[in-house]
Amino acid sequence: MKAETCSRIENLTAEIDGKTILNGLTLEVGAGEVHAIMGPNGAGKSTLSYVLAGREGYEVKGGSVTLDGVDLLAMAPHERAAAGVFLGMQYPVEIPGVSNLLFLRTALNAQRTLRGEPEISGADFMKAMKAAAADMGLDFEMMKRSVNQGFSGGEKKRNEMIQMAMLKPKLALLDETDSGLDIDALRVVADGINKMRSPDRATLLITHYQRLLDHVQPDRVHVLMAGRIVRSGGPELALELEAEGYARIAAEAGLANITDAAA
Ligand code: ADP
Ligand code: MG
């Protein structure tokens, strides 16, 4: 039976180096939905994506996270990935000496093995990689180079989308995927996100700007401040933020100023 809610985060509290960053964060993303998370610098947006993915150094102090009813927080990062969590990072890392092809084939097969599925054949893998690179407007030759090494900012972001297309996550966390993109690249990446909308995928788009949301219509928009969701609304909320900034919402949430809005 298919769970009704794809991803449910309840009252999540997490800290790093003894500092509380997420503070009672509650959020539900239904299967098939795209939600945007906006918020001022330092609000805890990247921290949320790291805690969901299971990055080392973050200590969960309370709350729960489930994906299709399964407890994510009890799993190691690689198990979460096999369960369907994907993190498109704000600052994609370079992996010198490991080609994109080797990296993705290894990741994909490790996930499949953990799920009890057979490994992908070499031919099927290459075919899927060629299609994914073409969709993102990257020359396939780049897939033979080391992961992100020497890639421009925009190419790194496109490469994150290629990884997502290959791994087909259930929960996609895209952290500022739009940052550093010129207008053409923004459109390519937005098209990629739209194309990957699927009834069995939930997507969290972390973004500073309305401009990505001009191309990717979110089902819901949430404002993250001081480590929790202080306001949720429809796509119009993003337009309101663009016009007014965060000051009013901060005041309504009982935060004295935007500086306090940081965790
Ligand atoms: P956002 O992505 O919303 O801009 P982040 O999640 O990156 O915010 O950061 C949230 C807060 O966590 C910031 O105040 C940041 O300084 C703090 N932070 C991040 N890493 C550490 C760390 N290692 N030790 C202490 N504070 C940290
Ligand atoms: Mg961030």
Side-chain angles (χ1 to χ4, degrees):
M1 202 179 79
K2 203 166 166 3
E4 241 177 62
T5 302
C6 198
S7 178
R8 177 176 292 173
I9 303 166
E10 250 169 30
N11 211 13
L12 184 62
T13 298
E15 58 180 48
I16 183 158
D17 292 339
K19 185 182 168 197
T20 300
I21 310 292
L22 301 182
N23 200 359
L25 189 146
T26 295
L27 178 67
E28 251 183 63
V29 190
E33 294 179 355
V34 174
H35 290 210
I37 296 191
M38 304 180 83
N41 283 325
K45 303 184 298 299
S46 292
T47 300
L48 173 62
S49 69
Y50 292 147
V51 169
L52 295 182
R55 187 176 181 176
E56 224 177 300
Y58 294 83
E59 206 178 328
V60 174
K61 289 300 199 181
S64 63
V65 181
T66 57
L67 182 57
D68 283 348
V70 177
D71 179 8
L72 270 191
L73 297 178
M75 296 181 198
H78 68 286
E79 294 169 331
R80 298 184 198 196
V85 177
F86 174 81
L87 171 58
M89 286 190 283
Q90 182 170 4
Y91 305 107
V93 291
E94 300 183 2
I95 313 179
V98 179
S99 75
N100 288 285
L101 289 174
L102 178 64
F103 172 71
L104 268 172
R105 193 165 168 191
T106 306
L108 187 55
N109 280 333
Q111 293 189 8
R112 284 180 168 233
T113 301
L114 221 55
R115 290 195 294 258
E117 299 166 5
E119 294 198 346
I120 189 170
S121 76
D124 285 347
F125 174 76
M126 289 304 268
K127 198 171 145 202
M129 278 301 293
K130 280 180 180 153
D135 273 351
M136 278 301 125
L138 283 192
D139 188 343
F140 181 71
E141 288 302 306
M142 288 184 78
M143 296 298 103
K144 298 175 185 168
R145 284 168 42 190
S146 292
V147 176
N148 288 326
Q149 199 176 33
F151 284 30
S152 71
E155 286 166 347
K156 286 180 182 172
K157 296 294 181 167
R158 291 178 197 229
N159 205 22
E160 297 281 300
M161 300 302 296
I162 291 172
Q163 292 169 13
M164 174 168 157
M166 292 299 293
L167 296 173
K168 299 187 172 52
K170 275 191 198 171
L171 174 62
L173 310 165
L174 302 179
D175 193 359
E176 314 240 352
T177 297
D178 52 333
S179 72
L181 297 182
D182 62 34
I183 209 73
D184 292 328
L186 181 71
R187 193 172 290 271
V188 170
V189 166
D191 286 349
I193 295 170
N194 285 327
K195 206 169 159 184
M196 278 178 246
R197 275 183 193 250
S198 153
D200 51 14
R201 175 166 305 129
T203 304
L204 272 183
L205 275 187
I206 296 173
T207 181
H208 264 303
Y209 301 108
Q210 165 61 30
R211 61 177 204 152
L212 178 67
L213 305 180
D214 287 339
H215 302 284
V216 181
Q217 176 87 349
D219 296 288
R220 298 285 287 164
V221 174
H222 308 276
V223 180
L224 201 170
M225 279 188 192
R228 61 197 160 87
I229 303 297
V230 297
R231 184 92 177 261
S232 298
E236 72 286 348
L237 178 55
L239 293 168
E240 184 188 321
L241 290 170
E242 183 96 332
E244 295 188 16
Y246 292 104
R248 192 160 61 83
I249 289 176
E252 284 168 6
L255 304 164
N257 54 47
I258 293 290
T259 314
D260 285 352

